[in-house]
Amino acid sequence: MNTTYDPSKESEIYKAWEDSGFFNPDRAPKKPRKAPPRSKPRKISSRGKQKVFSMVLPPPNVTGILHMGHAAMLAIQDILIRYHRMKGDKTLWIPGTDHAAIATQEKVEKEIYKKEGKSRHDLGREEFLRRVEQFAKESHDHIVRQTKRMGASLDWSREAFTLDEARTRAVREAFKRMYGAGLIYRGGRIVNWDPKLQTTVSDDEIEWKEEKASFYYFKYGPFEIGTARPETKFGDKYVVMHPKDGRYAKWKDGQKVELEWINGPITATIIKDGAVDPAFGTGVMTITPWHDATDFEIAERHKLDKEQIIDLRGKLLPIAGEFAGKKITEARPLVVEKLKAKGLLVKTDENYTHRIATSSRGGGTIEPQILTQWFVDVSKKFTLQKPLKGSGLKEIKGINPRNEISLKELMYMAVRSGQITILPKKFNKIYFYWTDNLRDWCISRQIWYGHRIPAWYHESKCIPRQGHEADVAKCKEVIVSDVKPKCEFCNAEFTQDPDTLDTWFSSGLWTFSTLGWPFGKAQGKPFDSAPFDKAQGGHGKPSKDFLMYHPTSVLETGYDILFFWVARMILMSGFLLGDIPFKTVYLHGMVRDAQGRKMSKSLGNIIDPLVMAEKYGADATRLSLIIGAAPGNDMKLSEDRVRGYRNFSTKLWNIARFIRMNEKPEFASLRSRYTAEDKKALVKALSIQKRVERSINTFRFHEGAELLYHYVWHELADKIIEREKKRLQGEHMAHAGTAHALLRELLRISITALHPFMPFVTEAIYQELYASEAKGDLLMIQNW
RNA sequence: GGGCGGUUAGCUCAGCGGCAGAGCACUUCGUUUACACCGAAGGGGUCGCAGGUUCAAAUCCUGCACCGCCCACCA
């Protein structure tokens, strides 16, 4: 043994684990062995009463490489997995990656533009997708290598991808069922349009940025209105005020007013609506329903006309008269100029800051637009799926399967009922608040990379087939299908919706699309030939994996995707299975740099976990991400910290080396000679192990890790070993043997308890000191 | 505007009713059956501020200040 632990061997250790097959719970020994095995591990013939522990890995985006946040996630989850595996539970951890639709597409688009100066439209859909897939594959391979390097004991035989065949079947089945239940609808609604990426984005993908702007007050007939966006005011013909605003009491709802506006005289209508804040500006505003969410809602309430002012490229439409074709940013000062010339500008407030919506993906300014999109209706009532007998599906507490419920209520109840526990607790309130205020989820995206929406549109020209001349009116306009449908009555073709689905639609299915769902006919067949499950609402025969591992035990992820992902998984499994996707949600904090900033490429403050692992070992990297990070709190990471834990690896290694150096051939039988002090030391070690166990069970990993760090360094090394040196070098060989036996046993307890935290060094030590010749004798599967 | 969290040693953070803790940094000493990526000894704190509850408060309650985050339709 060398004086320092050599982390470059970690890849070999990982390979030994992987080759053993024990990452796969079907191949892992049912009960970990206490004694070295004499023969090959027993195969499990029946489920028996073995406890099950299952998790899915939150699939990293195939947009590049893993960062420290991923490393922290892998470390925490691997602790849970290794602990449960050593406890003897049937333990499954499913790996996978996320196609991350918009994020990946954008990344590749940028790259192609940079290298070749071409846009995706220049390449065409097919060629562009080929490029994205190529990129995604390379990215995937890199991510898998990194994940293994961190020691994550995932069952690679079950690896999944949110855009592979099996998951595509799941997505289409889910879409079809939700459409069938009326929970997915297509409609004209106000959406967040990103003129830069030419796609809609969801509410959650918006980043608000403060911007300084001028705030103008204009004369609008007898009123004065304030606005920061005069260039949108061309179509404004409604003037809105609060119904209880005394200043405007003489104006009646619906009353008409003739007035002079940007491009000439118009007739405006008075509208009274509570959404207006009397204290803001003049308490009067005009509305632009096509380009503002609040205005849209007011218009909906009062059934007002809506007119489009700005096109999808961000340019003004003919309604703007002389300004048509101009970009909105160009038009703004010109419009102000014109209104001023007409004497309608009252005053300008230069010190006005407002928040503008930008896309968190492309950074472009969001321009709300009314567009025909696909939505998930979160408020529509439906009857909850009734779990089939013997299917392993459980009812969601507090919801009678025969009662009607909305997705919103379902998401709320699954957590409120206590069936799903969110840790740390503080996130419960945030979750409830979110579900309470949830609006319909826009799921269509105008991008190419992703799950194509399985909806087909009837071409407008109907050429009735013979004998069906009278049926043309019955032709279905939209058919949801995974294959190209044919019209019953005419020869018209169907064309598929060009849009793709929001990436979270597919990741929402992750906990069960990775376990063999959809069941029945669709399972295992290429999706082109597999019809959607006809028995709408039927479950089919559940897969073995599903029965065994669903709902998953724990969902561990960053708090930043509580809404994006966690909530959507609850929604999806609630509707499609009538079940919860997981029992406990544990949310970890973000990893930040030493100054507390987010790690990002532009700041150049990214600490690459792979570099850390090469330099200091994966174990040290893992420990640095665990210790000092309280549940749900952000943590600051610096290389110093990692270095500190590398020293601990070395310390542990040297303890092992010292014990090996003092091997006494006769140690084996000397247990009975333990003194009272020896026994006390053993009891202490075991009690530490118990406390570590408790820390893992309560998701307080930093406590367990710190406890072990302390015990090993300042108790085992500094006190016990120093003390035992006397006995070891004494004349009395038997006493020396006893001392050695004690140290050996204490170290074994220590590395066992430490294994989930630092799998590599502990395995290396186990192989040096404890393993038998038998193949597959690994610390990884020793009894905890 | 609403909500949540933070404020503890020089730095990074645990602790969340019972004698103020860890890691890093710092000071002094040390070529000991492993380890200098080490050991021994040590310095360093009105636990943000002001009240309150309690035998006892960093910990519970109230208010305030500053910092951070999340949510929201102020045109």
Side-chain angles (χ1 to χ4, degrees), chain A residues 165-420:
Chain A
E165 278 197 16
R167 263 46 66 179
T168 299
R169 279 197 296 278
V171 163
R172 293 182 180 188
E173 183 74 19
F175 189 96
K176 170 94 179 193
R177 288 193 190 189
M178 293 175 88
Y179 182 76
L183 294 181
I184 285 182
Y185 68 93
R186 190 167 174 255
R189 285 276 315 275
I190 190 139
V191 295
N192 309 302
W193 178 257
D194 183 342
K196 205 169 145 195
L197 294 177
Q198 288 291 300
T199 179
T200 54
V201 295
S202 74
D203 291 348
D204 307 290
E205 284 165 323
I206 286 181
E207 246 167 48
W208 294 90
K209 284 186 184 151
E210 292 244 311
E211 193 193 57
K212 269 210 146 178
S214 300
F215 193 78
Y216 308 96
Y217 290 89
F218 297 114
K219 224 180 229 149
Y220 191 78
F223 305 104
E224 209 175 279
I225 58 158
T227 182
R229 301 200 59 190
E231 74 279 8
T232 65
K233 297 287 162 200
F234 296 102
D236 290 12
K237 54 182 183 181
Y238 299 104
V239 55
V240 193
M241 58 213 71
H242 198 277
K244 285 184 184 152
D245 193 332
R247 290 173 291 176
Y248 308 107
K250 67 168 181 166
W251 301 98
K252 301 280 170 274
D253 188 65
Q255 196 176 338
K256 307 272 184 207
V257 184
E258 302 293 327
L259 57 92
E260 178 65 21
W261 196 225
I262 309 169
N263 289 332
I266 60 161
T267 306
T269 308
I270 310 274
I271 301 293
K272 300 270 182 165
D273 193 283
V276 178
D277 176 3
F280 186 85
T282 56
V284 179
M285 66 176 190
T286 60
I287 56 167
T288 315
W290 203 283
H291 302 291
D292 185 285
T294 314
D295 294 359
F296 177 82
E297 278 169 20
I298 293 172
E300 285 280 282
R301 269 198 291 278
H302 299 271
K303 300 194 169 36
L304 309 178
D305 298 337
K306 308 177 190 89
E307 272 171 294
Q308 188 174 8
I309 318 292
I310 303 162
D311 73 6
L312 298 182
R313 299 250 161 225
K315 288 183 180 165
L316 289 165
L317 289 163
I319 191 172
E322 63 194 272
F323 303 102
K326 287 207 161 35
K327 277 191 178 171
I328 49 173
T329 43
E330 288 170 37
R332 188 177 299 173
L334 300 174
V335 172
V336 173
E337 207 43 54
K338 183 163 183 194
L339 283 163
K340 193 178 175 186
K342 292 179 101 171
L344 296 175
L345 177 65
V346 182
K347 60 175 174 178
T348 308
D349 180 359
E350 301 287 355
N351 287 321
Y352 179 72
T353 45
H354 66 155
R355 295 176 341 127
I356 53 163
T358 62
S359 163
S360 64
R361 299 295 183 193
T365 304
I366 298 298
E367 191 63 67
Q369 292 275 5
I370 296 177
L371 287 171
T372 303
Q373 300 286 332
W374 289 91
F375 293 88
V376 169
D377 190 330
V378 294
S379 302
K380 189 187 164 79
K381 302 272 186 182
F382 63 94
T383 310
L384 195 66
Q385 185 86 241
K386 198 180 173 182
L388 288 189
K389 265 190 188 166
S391 69
L393 296 171
K394 291 168 204 84
E395 292 176 8
I396 295 178
K397 277 183 202 159
I399 303 172
N400 185 330
R402 274 162 305 185
N403 284 352
E404 295 217 311
I405 189 166
S406 68
L407 290 171
K408 220 166 140 169
E409 291 162 341
L410 184 148
M411 284 190 273
Y412 177 85
M413 276 313 293
V415 177
R416 171 90 323 165
S417 68
Q419 207 166 1
I420 295 174

Side-chain angles (χ1 to χ4, degrees), chain A residues 92-105:
Chain A
L92 175 66
W93 190 18
I94 299 181
T97 42
D98 194 321
H99 69 288
I102 196 164
T104 311
Q105 159 152 343

